[in-house]
């Protein structure tokens, strides 16, 4: 039974911030904790230190791999305005700082967007396939990520040829996501979802880990209950660097989160 | 004669960082300094403190409007790796911190990109019109930005209807940019260019200042000499928030920088 997202992101208040216990179950393979999970832990620290309930913008620098186990979150909160607050969070494991995050907290809108971004045409969730249930399809040498036990990930067959050794020209991966523990999506969950898919370079056959260097996540609205549709699209790759864009739509088809990351290309 | 970009971003080393003199000429109207200019000053502090020559990823939180005049840049550099270094910069004016920036420094690639992002079809620069020379076309009540004296900005007539009171359905503004002082584009200049256009909401008739809350800039390659083509595209606007994407191509048509910002919608 996987540990819940709630307990995997639980915080204990201490002077200057919080302590946490980073859950080894949220790895992307090889014991490396998922960047979205770490960002969600930092986001929770920011909102717990703020009068505003939601993280609306987050920028993270990944200094090095964070080890599972005890961690501290040092929180420096700026002036709390009526509309928003800026909060700086440093997540450190036993060795020292691993992730630094700038979080802007505010209250997410219910308003209907102007210029809404429609979801892409995706295969219905019942015709998609589960990463966890098809672990034997993982690329050779790729360990099954613990993440896929925590977040149910139903890959759209249209962008999952790579799992069968059929590579695409397009660095795009699309999937339906929900928490395995039954938790409905919420702003902290969306933060985790904005870095929850395999590297988009897998779609084109460049398998391997693509470590995130910087990640910016924007949470745009409160999500409706149900599956979220998540699409990751690789941009330009050159000189060892690649950018990836994520978009997340809720079950009503509303864009609820987006992210952009700069990563090192898969090795 | 406008002050040069070089002198407007000049730094003096002091204990723990640098001092600078923020140039009042880089305003966006009403004495408010441009966010891209402030980011370039912080980027310069990061690279001067780093063994790596270029800013490749920058995430800024704009805490409040920074006043022109004396400023300090407090620099905290992480461990310098062979490939990259993370550097944290706090830009403060006489009143206190105004912008916090996480900068990743590295060496930009010469490599030809995979999946290159082609430039949009733009009007040739000689058929575009200068913001500075057409100040009388500015929306009523909009002061002429000093920025337009520092950065030659030739608006593409295809996305400049707003300057003539003819508004579009699409929140897109495109222009050719170069420094007025004759400086060729370089990574620091690209940083400034990724926030150098009017708010994209102007295109659709919502005039007014749209203050940036968080801005992420990625510099992807060393730019060739000559004009840069810059396109800003607004995303979803709802509940008082809007996201904007910038892309910058050099004179050879190569994508050299990109940015995404979350801003408050124009008032």
């Amino acid at each position: 039974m996987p540990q819940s997202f709630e307990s995997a992101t639980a915080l204990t208040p201490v002077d200057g911030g919080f302590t946490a216990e980073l859950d080894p179950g949220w790895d992307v393979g090889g014991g490396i904790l998922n960047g979205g999970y770490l960002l969600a832990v930092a986001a929770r620290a920011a909102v717990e230190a703020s009068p505003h309930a939601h993280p609306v913008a987050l920028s993270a620098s990944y200094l090095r791999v964070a080890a599972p186990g005890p961690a501290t979150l040092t929180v420096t909160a700026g002036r709390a305005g009526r509309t928003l607050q800026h909060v700086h969070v440093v997540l450190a494991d036993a060795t020292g700082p691993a992730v630094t995050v700038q979080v802007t907290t505010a209250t997410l809108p219910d308003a209907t967007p102007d210029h809404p971004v429609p979801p892409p045409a995706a295969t219905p969730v019942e015709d998609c396939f589960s990463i966890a249930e098809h672990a034997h399809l993982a690329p050779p040498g790729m360990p099954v990520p613990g993440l896929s036990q925590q977040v149910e990930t139903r890959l759209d067959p249209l962008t999952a040829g790579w799992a069968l050794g059929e590579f695409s020209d397009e660095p795009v991966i699309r999937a339906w996501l929900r928490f395995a523990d039954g938790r409905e999506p919420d702003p902290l969950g969306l933060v985790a979802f904005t870095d929850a898919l395999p590297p988009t370079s897998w779609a084109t056959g460049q398998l391997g880990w693509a470590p995130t260097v910087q990640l910016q996540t924007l949470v745009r609205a409160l999500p409706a209950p149900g599956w979220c549709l998540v699409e990751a699209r690789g941009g330009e790759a050159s000189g060892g660097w690649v950018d990836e864009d994520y978009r997340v739509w809720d079950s009503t088809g509303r864009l609820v989160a987006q992210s952009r990351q700069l990563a090192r290309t898969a090795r």
Side-chain angles (χ1 to χ4, degrees), chain A residues 193-212:
Chain A
F193 289 180
T194 60
D195 183 39
L197 296 180
T200 53
S201 61
W202 287 24
T204 58
Q206 291 164 286
L207 307 173
W209 181 46
T212 304

Side-chain angles (χ1 to χ4, degrees), chain A residues 30-130:
Chain A
I32 295 168
L33 293 177
N34 170 246
Y37 163 60
L38 297 172
L39 190 61
V41 176
R44 188 163 173 179
V47 294
E48 292 203 3
S50 173
H52 299 296
H54 306 136
V56 298
L58 309 95
S59 294
S61 290
Y62 292 87
L63 311 181
R64 57 180 185 74
V65 170
T72 61
L73 293 109
T74 306
V75 176
T76 310
R79 194 178 63 83
R82 197 169 51 88
T83 305
L84 61 87
Q85 182 176 29
H86 293 282
V87 182
H88 189 253
V89 180
V90 179
L91 186 157
D93 63 13
T95 308
V99 189
T100 62
V101 189
Q102 298 176 151
V103 185
T104 305
T105 61
T107 300
L108 283 167
D110 290 322
T112 304
D114 304 328
H115 303 286
V117 178
T123 303
V125 63
E126 57 272 20
D127 299 325
C128 292
F129 67 87
S130 156

Side-chain angles (χ1 to χ4, degrees), chain A residues 119-267:
Chain A
T123 303
V125 63
E126 57 272 20
D127 299 325
C128 292
F129 67 87
S130 156
I131 284 193
E133 291 165 17
H134 290 74
H136 59 285
L137 296 179
M142 283 290 115
V144 179
L147 178 62
S148 69
Q149 306 286 335
Q150 314 288 347
V151 178
E152 284 190 42
T153 304
R154 300 286 170 89
L155 290 169
D156 186 335
L158 294 174
T159 64
W162 53 271
L164 306 166
E166 292 160 14
F167 301 117
S168 165
D169 290 335
E170 280 216 293
V172 176
I173 296 180
R174 196 163 53 232
W176 297 93
L177 265 60
R178 69 178 179 192
F179 284 111
D181 66 7
R183 180 192 181 100
E184 291 293 354
D186 65 356
L188 287 183
L190 294 178
V191 169
F193 289 180
T194 60
D195 183 39
L197 296 180
T200 53
S201 61
W202 287 24
T204 58
Q206 291 164 286
L207 307 173
W209 181 46
T212 304
V213 175
Q214 280 202 20
L215 170 64
Q216 182 201 51
T217 292
L218 306 181
V219 183
R220 305 305 304 279
L222 291 172
W227 290 96
C228 287
L229 179 63
V230 181
E231 185 177 81
R233 185 173 288 272
E236 265 198 20
S238 73
W241 303 90
V242 63
D243 62 298
E244 283 192 354
D245 274 13
Y246 274 66
R247 283 172 167 174
V248 182
W249 293 265
D250 71 8
S251 60
T252 71
R254 175 161 182 190
L255 181 76
V256 288
Q258 58 203 130
S259 76
R260 178 173 290 159
Q261 65 176 264
L262 187 71
R264 298 293 296 164
T265 47
R267 294 154 184 178

